[in-house]
Amino acid sequence: MSLVQIAPLGNKSSSSSQDPDLRSKIDNAPWLVMNASVNRMWFLGEPIAVQRRLVKAIGENTRIPLEFKHVEEILRVAAEDELSGKELSLPLGWNLVREPEELIFVTPDLRDPAPPRDYEYELPLPGRVNVYEAGSAIEARLVLAGAEAGYNPDHLLDAVSLPGTLRVRNWRPGDRFWPAHTKSPKKIKNCCMSVM
Protein backbone atom coordinates (compact mmCIF):
# COMPACT_ATOMS: atom_id res chain seq x y z
CA MET A 1 0.00 0.00 0.00
CA SER A 2 1.33 3.43 -0.97
CA LEU A 3 1.11 5.96 1.84
CA VAL A 4 2.25 9.00 -0.12
CA GLN A 5 2.03 9.04 -3.87
CA ILE A 6 2.92 11.66 -6.43
CA ALA A 7 1.26 10.67 -9.68
CA PRO A 8 1.16 12.01 -13.24
CA LEU A 9 -1.84 14.16 -13.99
CA GLY A 10 -3.67 11.55 -16.08
CA ASN A 11 -6.66 13.07 -17.90
CA LYS A 12 -5.25 16.60 -18.10
CA SER A 13 -1.90 15.54 -19.55
CA SER A 14 -3.61 13.34 -22.14
CA SER A 15 -5.69 16.28 -23.37
CA SER A 16 -2.57 18.43 -23.42
CA SER A 17 -1.13 16.41 -26.31
CA GLN A 18 -4.03 17.64 -28.44
CA ASP A 19 -3.73 21.32 -27.37
CA PRO A 20 -0.31 22.83 -28.17
CA ASP A 21 -1.06 25.96 -26.11
CA LEU A 22 -1.86 23.83 -23.05
CA ARG A 23 1.25 21.74 -23.71
CA SER A 24 3.43 24.90 -23.66
CA LYS A 25 1.79 26.03 -20.39
CA ILE A 26 2.65 22.69 -18.82
CA ASP A 27 6.19 22.79 -20.19
CA ASN A 28 6.68 26.28 -18.72
CA ALA A 29 5.27 25.26 -15.33
CA PRO A 30 6.69 21.81 -14.55
CA TRP A 31 5.47 21.95 -10.94
CA LEU A 32 1.86 21.75 -12.19
CA VAL A 33 2.01 18.35 -13.87
CA MET A 34 1.46 16.05 -10.89
CA ASN A 35 -1.17 15.44 -8.26
CA ALA A 36 -0.17 14.21 -4.81
CA SER A 37 -2.16 11.85 -2.60
CA VAL A 38 -1.87 10.56 0.96
CA ASN A 39 -3.58 7.54 2.51
CA ARG A 40 -6.08 9.30 4.82
CA MET A 41 -6.36 6.60 7.50
CA TRP A 42 -2.59 6.31 7.85
CA PHE A 43 -2.29 10.12 7.90
CA LEU A 44 -4.89 10.50 10.68
CA GLY A 45 -3.18 7.76 12.72
CA GLU A 46 0.05 9.74 12.91
CA PRO A 47 0.79 12.33 15.61
CA ILE A 48 -0.24 15.91 14.74
CA ALA A 49 3.40 17.00 14.38
CA VAL A 50 4.01 14.29 11.75
CA GLN A 51 0.82 15.31 9.93
CA ARG A 52 2.03 18.94 9.80
CA ARG A 53 5.49 17.93 8.57
CA LEU A 54 4.03 15.70 5.88
CA VAL A 55 1.70 18.45 4.59
CA LYS A 56 4.63 20.91 4.56
CA ALA A 57 6.78 18.34 2.69
CA ILE A 58 4.07 17.85 0.06
CA GLY A 59 3.81 21.64 -0.28
CA GLU A 60 7.57 21.97 -0.73
CA ASN A 61 7.77 19.07 -3.20
CA THR A 62 4.91 20.43 -5.34
CA ARG A 63 5.95 24.07 -4.75
CA ILE A 64 2.65 25.06 -3.14
CA PRO A 65 3.48 27.99 -0.83
CA LEU A 66 1.64 26.71 2.25
CA GLU A 67 1.45 28.94 5.30
CA PHE A 68 0.59 27.71 8.81
CA LYS A 69 -3.08 28.60 8.30
CA HIS A 70 -3.20 26.42 5.15
CA VAL A 71 -1.61 23.46 6.97
CA GLU A 72 -4.10 23.75 9.84
CA GLU A 73 -7.05 23.94 7.44
CA ILE A 74 -5.79 20.83 5.60
CA LEU A 75 -5.55 18.96 8.92
CA ARG A 76 -9.08 20.09 9.85
CA VAL A 77 -10.55 18.93 6.51
CA ALA A 78 -8.68 15.60 6.72
CA ALA A 79 -10.17 14.88 10.15
CA GLU A 80 -13.80 15.73 9.26
CA ASP A 81 -16.30 12.88 9.23
CA GLU A 82 -18.47 14.32 6.44
CA LEU A 83 -19.03 12.61 3.12
CA SER A 84 -16.17 12.40 0.65
CA GLY A 85 -15.53 14.92 -2.08
CA LYS A 86 -14.98 17.92 0.19
CA GLU A 87 -12.67 20.43 -1.53
CA LEU A 88 -10.36 23.05 -0.09
CA SER A 89 -8.78 25.80 -2.19
CA LEU A 90 -5.03 26.25 -1.75
CA PRO A 91 -2.55 28.82 -3.10
CA LEU A 92 -1.65 28.95 -6.81
CA GLY A 93 -4.91 27.30 -7.83
CA TRP A 94 -4.24 23.95 -6.13
CA ASN A 95 -7.10 22.13 -4.39
CA LEU A 96 -7.28 19.49 -1.70
CA VAL A 97 -9.97 16.83 -2.26
CA ARG A 98 -10.85 14.62 0.72
CA GLU A 99 -11.99 11.14 -0.23
CA PRO A 100 -12.84 8.35 2.25
CA GLU A 101 -9.46 6.64 1.74
CA GLU A 102 -7.14 9.45 0.64
CA LEU A 103 -6.33 13.13 0.56
CA ILE A 104 -5.61 14.32 -2.98
CA PHE A 105 -3.70 17.51 -3.74
CA VAL A 106 -5.05 18.39 -7.20
CA THR A 107 -2.99 20.53 -9.55
CA PRO A 108 -4.63 23.60 -11.13
CA ASP A 109 -6.37 23.18 -14.46
CA LEU A 110 -4.25 25.02 -17.02
CA ARG A 111 -7.17 25.00 -19.42
CA ASP A 112 -8.91 27.65 -17.31
CA PRO A 113 -8.51 31.21 -18.60
CA ALA A 114 -6.05 33.47 -16.82
CA PRO A 115 -7.47 35.59 -14.00
CA PRO A 116 -8.54 39.08 -14.99
CA ARG A 117 -5.78 41.65 -15.17
CA ASP A 118 -5.74 45.10 -13.71
CA TYR A 119 -7.19 47.77 -15.97
CA GLU A 120 -7.31 51.54 -15.97
CA TYR A 121 -8.96 53.94 -18.42
CA GLU A 122 -9.03 57.71 -18.65
CA LEU A 123 -12.56 59.12 -18.53
CA PRO A 124 -12.90 62.39 -20.44
CA LEU A 125 -15.24 65.03 -19.04
CA PRO A 126 -17.73 64.97 -20.70
CA GLY A 127 -17.23 61.58 -22.27
CA ARG A 128 -17.64 57.85 -22.18
CA VAL A 129 -15.29 54.92 -21.72
CA ASN A 130 -15.94 51.26 -22.46
CA VAL A 131 -14.66 48.94 -19.73
CA TYR A 132 -14.34 45.71 -21.65
CA GLU A 133 -13.07 43.72 -18.66
CA ALA A 134 -16.27 44.54 -16.73
CA GLY A 135 -18.57 44.38 -19.74
CA SER A 136 -19.87 47.90 -19.15
CA ALA A 137 -19.48 51.55 -20.10
CA ILE A 138 -19.13 54.61 -17.85
CA GLU A 139 -20.38 58.00 -18.97
CA ALA A 140 -19.66 61.41 -17.46
CA ARG A 141 -21.90 64.35 -18.38
CA LEU A 142 -21.76 68.03 -17.59
CA VAL A 143 -24.88 69.20 -15.78
CA LEU A 144 -25.67 72.86 -16.37
CA ALA A 145 -26.24 75.13 -13.40
CA GLY A 146 -29.90 75.08 -12.42
CA ALA A 147 -30.51 71.66 -14.00
CA GLU A 148 -29.13 69.68 -11.05
CA ALA A 149 -32.59 69.41 -9.46
CA GLY A 150 -33.27 66.27 -11.53
CA TYR A 151 -30.19 64.50 -10.09
CA ASN A 152 -29.28 63.04 -6.74
CA PRO A 153 -26.76 65.56 -5.30
CA ASP A 154 -24.70 62.68 -3.83
CA HIS A 155 -24.04 61.51 -7.41
CA LEU A 156 -22.72 64.86 -8.67
CA LEU A 157 -19.12 66.10 -8.68
CA ASP A 158 -18.00 69.72 -8.92
CA ALA A 159 -15.99 69.76 -12.18
CA VAL A 160 -13.84 72.68 -10.96
CA SER A 161 -12.85 70.80 -7.79
CA LEU A 162 -11.61 67.69 -9.58
CA PRO A 163 -7.83 67.23 -9.26
CA GLY A 164 -7.32 66.34 -12.92
CA THR A 165 -8.46 63.61 -15.25
CA LEU A 166 -10.85 60.98 -13.98
CA ARG A 167 -9.76 57.36 -14.13
CA VAL A 168 -11.86 54.22 -14.19
CA ARG A 169 -10.05 51.16 -12.88
CA ASN A 170 -10.64 47.90 -11.10
CA TRP A 171 -10.38 47.43 -7.36
CA ARG A 172 -6.89 46.89 -5.97
CA PRO A 173 -5.84 45.76 -2.49
CA GLY A 174 -5.71 48.66 -0.03
CA ASP A 175 -8.09 50.93 -1.99
CA ARG A 176 -10.06 53.28 0.27
CA PHE A 177 -12.92 55.74 -0.09
CA TRP A 178 -14.39 58.43 2.13
CA PRO A 179 -18.10 57.75 2.71
CA ALA A 180 -20.40 60.72 3.13
CA HIS A 181 -20.96 61.88 6.71
CA THR A 182 -17.99 59.95 8.17
CA LYS A 183 -14.79 61.07 9.87
CA SER A 184 -12.41 58.61 8.25
CA PRO A 185 -11.87 56.60 5.06
CA LYS A 186 -12.93 52.95 4.76
CA LYS A 187 -11.44 50.12 2.78
CA ILE A 188 -13.48 49.32 -0.32
CA LYS A 189 -12.95 45.61 0.42
CA ASN A 190 -14.82 45.97 3.74
CA CYS A 191 -17.67 47.87 2.09
CA CYS A 192 -18.08 45.18 -0.58
CA MET A 193 -17.98 42.37 2.00
CA SER A 194 -20.73 43.98 4.08
CA VAL A 195 -23.00 44.15 1.00
CA MET A 196 -22.65 40.39 0.30
Side-chain angles (χ1 to χ4, degrees), residues 49-50 53 63 66 69 76 81 92 108 125-126 132 145 151 154 163 175 186-187 189 195:
V50 173
R53 285 187 200 119
R63 297 188 187 153
L66 296 176
K69 65 182 178 183
R76 185 188 64 73
D81 289 331
L92 299 179
L125 190 59
Y132 300 105
Y151 295 92
D154 291 336
D175 279 352
K186 290 191 174 194
K187 284 189 173 182
K189 172 185 169 183
V195 171

Side-chain angles (χ1 to χ4, degrees), residues 3-185:
L3 300 180
V4 178
Q5 177 183 24
I6 305 237
L9 186 58
N11 62 350
K12 290 180 188 174
S13 62
S14 63
S15 66
S16 68
S17 61
Q18 299 164 357
D19 182 354
D21 186 44
L22 181 59
R23 177 82 259 160
S24 73
K25 287 180 183 177
I26 291 172
D27 290 343
N28 291 325
W31 54 274
L32 290 177
V33 296
M34 293 186 149
N35 290 344
S37 66
V38 177
N39 180 292
R40 184 169 166 257
M41 294 302 119
W42 171 82
F43 180 79
L44 294 175
E46 293 298 315
I48 195 81
V50 173
Q51 292 177 19
R52 285 188 181 113
R53 285 187 200 119
L54 180 61
V55 169
K56 285 298 283 181
I58 290 172
E60 289 169 7
N61 191 35
T62 56
R63 297 188 187 153
I64 308 170
L66 296 176
E67 296 177 10
F68 182 76
K69 65 182 178 183
H70 300 122
V71 173
E72 291 302 301
E73 188 69 11
I74 290 168
L75 297 183
R76 185 188 64 73
V77 168
E80 286 180 349
D81 289 331
E82 295 177 10
L83 298 173
S84 65
K86 170 114 182 182
E87 286 194 29
L88 174 67
S89 294
L90 299 172
L92 299 179
W94 284 79
N95 288 307
L96 174 77
V97 177
R98 185 183 50 78
E99 296 293 343
E101 300 295 322
E102 63 184 345
L103 300 173
I104 306 168
F105 293 80
V106 180
T107 181
D109 188 348
L110 293 175
R111 295 171 292 186
D112 289 343
R117 296 185 178 156
D118 287 341
Y119 60 85
E120 186 169 330
Y121 297 100
E122 190 172 311
L123 176 61
L125 190 59
R128 176 186 172 109
V129 64
N130 290 316
V131 183
Y132 300 105
E133 295 84 352
S136 62
I138 309 282
E139 186 174 5
R141 298 184 215 160
L142 291 176
V143 178
L144 300 174
E148 63 270 355
Y151 295 92
N152 181 337
D154 291 336
H155 298 169
L156 297 175
L157 302 171
D158 180 11
V160 177
S161 301
L162 295 175
T165 58
L166 295 177
R167 299 205 164 278
V168 175
R169 66 177 181 85
N170 62 309
W171 170 85
R172 303 205 182 128
D175 279 352
R176 298 175 183 272
F177 76 108
W178 206 295
H181 314 295
T182 61
K183 295 181 180 180
S184 63

